[in-house]
């Protein structure tokens, strides 16, 4: 139960920003939180005009003090490389994710029956699953923080970052 509580703490941190958006500038504190973390990934300060999905999932980790188990990054593909480097990457698109897992997509990946190995261009945090569906919270989806429901095994799922919540 302790690991589940830590997972839900991260999900809750992301959910506190639900509905925050670019159009009314309510998303800016998420970017500011990301930029306040040192050292800054790649030494890059995220601008309000940048794509911010990876900054969003990183900000959730920063908010919860979990940057020791969740690599912070402003780019999806670079964040995947960091998960791989610490041995916490799940390549199997049919993996059954748990709340708090990070899910990556490659939207440009053409429909295929093989493993999605395209360039990751979006990320979210798994909220939960129901049957074959995964509920995900994402930043910078339609320029806001909102949910997505996606089928497990969808060909555009690039893979999963698996934080070591048990270590917390």
């Amino acid at each position: 139960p302790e690991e589940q509580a830590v997972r839900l703490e991260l999900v809750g941190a992301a959910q506190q920003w639900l509905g925050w958006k670019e159009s009314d500038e309510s998303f800016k504190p998420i970017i500011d939180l990301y930029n306040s973390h040192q050292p800054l990934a790649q030494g890059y300060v995220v601008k309000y005009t940048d794509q911010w999905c990876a900054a969003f999932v990183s900000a959730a980790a920063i908010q919860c003090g979990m940057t020791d188990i969740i690599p912070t990054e402003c780019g999806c593909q670079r964040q995947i490389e960091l998960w791989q480097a610490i041995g916490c990457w799940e390549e199997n698109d049919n993996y059954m994710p748990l709340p708090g897992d990070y899910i990556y997509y490659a939207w440009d990946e053409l429909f295929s029956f093989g493993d999605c190995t395209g360039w990751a261009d979006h990320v979210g945090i798994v909220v939960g699953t129901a049957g074959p569906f995964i509920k995900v919270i994402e930043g910078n989806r339609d320029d806001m923080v909102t949910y997505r429901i996606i089928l497990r095994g969808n060909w555009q799922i690039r893979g999963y970052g698996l934080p070591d919540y048990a270590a917390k």
Side-chain angles (χ1 to χ4, degrees), residues 106-113 155-156:
W107 296 131
D108 295 334
E109 185 82 356
L110 298 175
F111 178 77
S112 70
F113 293 102
W155 68 89
Q156 294 172 312

Side-chain angles (χ1 to χ4, degrees), residues 3-23:
E3 180 180 332
Q4 183 70 5
V6 177
R7 288 176 171 278
L8 295 179
E9 179 185 349
L10 182 90
V11 171
Q15 288 176 319
Q16 75 178 341
W17 300 319
L18 191 62
W20 291 22
K21 53 192 169 209
E22 291 180 21
S23 63

Side-chain angles (χ1 to χ4, degrees), residues 7 68-71 78-92 95 101-102 104 159-165 167:
R7 288 176 171 278
D68 55 334
I69 63 166
I70 299 170
R78 285 194 303 266
Q79 197 169 33
I80 287 173
E81 292 166 6
L82 294 172
W83 287 115
Q84 291 169 332
I86 61 172
C88 294
W89 175 250
E90 177 57 66
E91 187 73 28
N92 181 356
Y95 165 75
D101 287 348
Y102 282 42
Y104 294 81
Y160 298 89
L162 308 178
D164 182 10
Y165 291 109

Side-chain angles (χ1 to χ4, degrees), residues 5 16 53 100 121 143 158:
Q16 75 178 341
C53 59
D121 43 27
D143 300 327
R158 177 65 184 84

